[in-house]
Amino acid sequence: AIGHNRAATHGSIKDTNCHPFHFKGKSEIVLVHNGTLNGGYSSLTPATFHHEVDSAHIAYAMAEVENELEVLKKLKGAFVLVWYNKTKNTFNIARNSMRDFSFIRAKNGDFFYASEYMMLDWLLDRNDVDIKDKSYTTPAVDHWYEWPVVAAVGLKKPVVRKITYEQEDRFRGGSYYGTTERNSRQNGGYYQG
C-alpha cells in the first residue's frame, strides 16, 4: 500500500492528477513522486503525451523503457520516487538531495517508508507495530534502490545503482535567465561551477 498527499505544484487539483500514476508500455509502472521537477519535464515523453503533472511524465517515460535509469539520469529538480515495476516485479526508491526519505522494517519483515521519519515513527508507535530496532535507513542521495519482490519472502536484498545525471552546458536548474553564476543566483537557479 502507498499513500501520498499531493501539493498541486504542477497541474490543478482533480482526480486525473492524483498519484499514483500507472502506465504500461515496455514495462508496467505504478509511481508516486514527492517533489517538483524544474521546467523541461515534458521532454521525458513524446510530443503525443499530454499531462499537466510532472510526475505523470516520469511514470510514462519509465513505462516506455526497459531500464528506469535512462529516465532517472534526465531528472532536474526535487524528487523522491517510489514505484512498482510490475513487469520486473520490483519495488523501487530513488531520491536526490532535495527530498528526505526513510524506511524501516518491522520484526515480521514488513517494510514501512515515509518522507518524514518522525511521522512514520509516530504512526508505527500508534499502531503498535513491533520494530526490531529504531534505526531508520535513509537511502543514499542520487541512488536507485531496486528490490526484487518474492511472493513467499517479500523484498529481497536491493540492487543499488548510482544515478549520474546528464549535464547541460555546466548549468542545471529551472532558470531561463542565463548560465552565468551571477545570473543563476539572482534568478533562483543552481550553477555547477
Side-chain angles (χ1 to χ4, degrees):
I2 188 168
H4 180 61
N5 292 325
R6 176 176 179 257
T9 53
H10 290 298
S12 59
I13 299 171
K14 58 186 179 181
D15 287 348
T16 57
N17 291 346
C18 291
H19 296 234
F21 290 99
H22 183 185
F23 294 102
K24 185 175 182 179
K26 289 182 181 176
S27 299
E28 187 169 355
I29 301 291
V30 180
L31 174 139
V32 297
H33 167 213
N34 178 16
T36 304
L37 296 186
N38 297 334
Y41 56 84
S42 61
S43 67
L44 298 171
T45 54
T48 55
F49 180 76
H50 300 284
H51 204 289
E52 58 183 320
V53 178
D54 54 352
S55 312
H57 286 267
I58 299 169
Y60 185 91
M62 284 186 174
E64 293 300 307
V65 297
E66 292 178 9
N67 182 352
E68 295 98 314
L69 194 57
E70 293 177 39
V71 176
L72 293 170
K73 68 183 184 180
K74 295 177 183 178
L75 300 182
K76 298 171 194 77
F79 70 87
V80 166
L81 302 171
V82 176
W83 73 96
Y84 175 63
N85 184 322
K86 186 174 181 181
T87 306
K88 295 192 290 186
N89 198 27
T90 60
F91 174 76
N92 303 268
I93 296 171
R95 70 179 280 256
N96 68 8
S97 64
M98 300 168 92
R99 287 294 181 265
D100 289 328
F101 194 82
S102 298
F103 60 85
I104 196 166
R105 284 190 183 254
K107 281 187 178 178
N108 68 1
D110 288 348
F111 187 90
F112 297 94
Y113 55 94
S115 293
E116 298 177 17
Y117 87 90
M118 292 176 71
M119 178 60 76
L120 179 58
D121 193 54
W122 176 76
L123 287 168
L124 296 173
D125 282 345
R126 180 179 175 192
N127 290 285
D128 296 320
V129 176
D130 194 7
I131 301 297
K132 187 174 185 178
D133 61 42
K134 289 286 183 157
S135 298
Y136 288 85
T137 300
T138 300
V141 169
D142 300 328
H143 281 75
W144 164 26
Y145 291 71
E146 181 182 39
W147 283 269
V149 179
V150 178
V153 178
L155 301 180
K156 294 182 78 176
K157 184 176 179 179
V159 175
V160 182
R161 297 174 189 86
K162 173 121 176 78
I163 303 167
T164 303
Y165 301 100
E166 293 179 353
Q167 299 294 314
E168 293 181 347
D169 298 325
R170 297 174 33 122
F171 180 77
R172 293 182 48 81
S175 174
Y176 297 100
Y177 297 97
T179 59
T180 67
E181 185 173 9
R182 191 183 99 257
N183 284 344
S184 181
R185 282 189 190 146
Q186 288 173 346
N187 297 299
Y190 174 74
Y191 177 80
Q192 276 187 318

